[in-house]
Amino acid sequence: MKYTIQFLIGSLLLTNIIFASGGIGGGGIANIPQGQDREKYHLGKAIFNQELSLEKQLNVNSNDQDERLEYLQGSLPNTEKRRVNLPDLSGKLTEEQLQALEYFVQVRFNIKLPEKKKDKE
């Protein structure tokens, strides 16, 4: 009986050690969205990682883009702030591309951006 109890205790301890050796769980990146949001996410990711060649856009509000991109840059984790310079993209993005970039940053880095104010007419 004594050996049975010792064996069971030893087995439980060994099992806990084996299963606990997998490292720290959790964390990681957010889940990639599905459907139309998936396309938006991947467009934003390509822009963020500078995988697209962007040229100066005509008919864009550079001041608005400056403000939005600086806010995004400030929202990034410190490691990413050193890696990318989002304000450099000002004037080079269409509204769709800028929205995709904002969406990617929100999802990837779990950042809540302020609601956009709609212009009063």
Side-chain angles (χ1 to χ4, degrees):
M1 180 73 171
K2 180 180 173 184
Y3 294 113
T4 305
I5 292 173
Q6 288 177 343
F7 175 75
L8 288 175
I9 291 173
S11 296
L12 287 174
L13 290 174
L14 183 60
T15 303
N16 286 341
I17 291 170
I18 291 172
F19 287 123
S21 66
I24 298 172
I29 63 170
N31 291 330
I32 296 175
Q34 300 298 317
Q36 279 186 308
D37 289 341
R38 184 179 181 88
E39 292 174 22
K40 190 175 184 180
Y41 177 88
H42 285 293
L43 174 59
K45 180 180 178 183
I47 294 167
F48 185 84
N49 291 323
Q50 301 166 0
E51 296 169 354
L52 293 178
S53 60
L54 301 170
E55 304 209 5
K56 188 84 171 152
Q57 296 291 316
L58 302 175
N59 302 323
V60 296
N61 184 349
S62 292
N63 291 337
D64 180 47
Q65 282 194 6
D66 286 340
E67 189 177 307
R68 290 165 69 181
L69 290 168
E70 285 178 23
Y71 187 86
L72 271 182
Q73 182 76 26
S75 301
L76 294 173
N78 288 333
T79 55
E80 294 299 319
K81 284 180 186 176
R82 290 187 290 270
R83 191 175 77 81
V84 297
N85 188 358
L86 298 180
D88 282 350
L89 301 175
S90 182
K92 297 179 181 177
L93 300 173
T94 64
E95 182 61 27
E96 177 188 9
Q97 290 171 330
L98 183 54
Q99 288 177 1
L101 178 61
E102 289 174 330
Y103 182 73
F104 169 76
V105 169
Q106 283 180 310
V107 173
R108 171 62 180 88
F109 301 107
N110 196 22
I111 296 170
K112 181 74 174 161
L113 296 178
E115 295 289 324
K116 293 180 184 71
K117 296 177 185 174
K118 295 185 179 181
D119 295 327
K120 295 180 182 178
E121 295 181 13

